Amino acid sequence: MIFLENEHIKASFSTKGAELQSLKNKKTDKEYMWSGDAGYWGKFSPILFPIVGGLKNNTYFLGGVAYELPRHGFARDHEFEILKLNESEVIFNFQQNDQTLKAYPFEFSLSIHYELSGAELRCNYIVKNTGNVPLLFSIGGHPAFATPTENDLNYTDYFLEFNHDSELTYHKIKQDLIDERTETIKLERNRLPLNHELFYDDALVFKGLKSDRISLKNIKNPRGLHFSFTDFPFFGIWGAKNANFLCLEPWYGIADGINHNQNLEEKEGIIELEPLKEWNHHWKVEPF
């Protein structure tokens, strides 16, 4: 485990998957990350790469050849190297290997840069194309934040507050694929009240959020967090069935649509990065 700490917050990470596993407010010693209880969902904050979501039949085609990738790709299952580490920041790195090349025939460097700044934790995704052909990839976050139910606090006491949305139009996921049909939720005061039933059919997937900050709050105490993200074209919100956590997921990429032809070059949201070029984007979380 890797630990970062400043006067406001402290965080810990695993080298497997460069996964954020703990985020605490030092003044209150309250934990803001999900516990990773495998009875519900045994992860904390996996990195989704080189795809986000599922592929149709777990298969894509590239140059007429069929390749298989599991839902959300493989980065979360591999050990990362540490390129830099001090009290307030760590940079993890993962590159292609013989195993990944069989399923994903690209050369790449994936770095995950975590940095504490005041009361915020910033997560920056840095992708470099180290090969000599265009790199096709998607990437996304999947952090799971705790919604504890102690002291007469229930899951239904929590809500999400969107800084620029008064209604939410979302796609449902059907057998790991994106349903083209949409549904809309009208928000009162830009707030989405939480209940477990929201996620019984998997995540809510958004393609056109106006907001760049979503706050997780509750009606009974002042504890919560601000989750900020910029220019991510897709966003997912999810919780495991009847579990007391909520995932806020900024994505550069999305699961295949039900009618997708499975060609990777034509996959919705796919990023094409030219040889020797670098791509980076970040999200931030501020617990309070």
Side-chain angles (χ1 to χ4, degrees), residues 89-249:
E89 64 181 324
V90 60
I91 300 177
F92 296 97
N93 181 261
F94 174 63
Q95 300 181 27
Q96 82 283 343
N97 56 43
D98 290 343
Q99 181 182 353
T100 68
L101 287 169
K102 293 176 183 177
Y104 181 67
F106 295 98
E107 297 178 17
F108 64 87
S109 170
L110 169 63
S111 294
I112 313 297
H113 182 189
Y114 294 103
E115 184 173 16
L116 305 185
S117 178
E120 288 185 336
L121 169 66
R122 173 175 168 143
C123 175
N124 194 29
Y125 304 134
I126 306 165
V127 181
K128 295 179 181 179
N129 183 350
T130 57
N132 55 15
V133 298
L135 173 65
L136 303 176
F137 73 96
S138 294
I139 191 167
H142 203 310
F145 299 108
T147 54
T149 56
E150 76 271 12
N151 300 326
D152 197 36
L153 191 61
N154 300 308
Y155 191 78
T156 52
D157 293 324
Y158 288 89
F159 62 89
L160 293 177
E161 187 173 77
F162 296 77
N163 66 340
H164 295 308
D165 287 280
S166 58
E167 66 178 29
L168 300 174
T169 298
Y170 66 93
H171 295 257
K172 287 187 175 181
I173 295 179
K174 186 176 182 180
Q175 296 180 335
D176 290 347
L177 304 178
I178 300 298
D179 195 326
E180 294 179 356
R181 297 171 296 177
T182 62
E183 297 186 17
T184 299
I185 302 173
K186 300 287 186 180
L187 304 182
E188 183 177 342
R189 293 187 295 166
N190 290 29
R191 293 180 174 184
L192 174 66
L194 296 186
N195 62 76
H196 290 301
E197 290 79 7
L198 274 174
F199 312 112
Y200 279 2
D201 294 325
D202 212 317
L204 308 183
V205 176
F206 305 94
K207 295 186 179 182
L209 279 184
K210 299 175 184 177
S211 295
D212 58 11
R213 189 178 81 172
I214 301 174
S215 300
L216 175 60
K217 301 179 178 180
N218 71 81
I219 62 175
K220 291 185 176 176
N221 66 51
R223 179 187 176 195
L225 61 85
H226 299 306
F227 188 84
S228 302
F229 50 99
T230 303
D231 296 331
F232 284 85
F234 308 102
F235 202 92
I237 298 176
W238 177 76
K241 189 173 183 179
N242 297 328
N244 291 323
F245 71 85
L246 184 79
C247 289
L248 298 176
E249 307 178 37

Side-chain angles (χ1 to χ4, degrees), residues 15-18 74-80 94-95 97 99-100:
T15 55
K16 183 179 179 181
F74 50 65
R76 58 185 177 169
D77 298 318
H78 286 267
E79 285 288 324
F80 281 62
F94 174 63
Q95 300 181 27
N97 56 43
Q99 181 182 353
T100 68

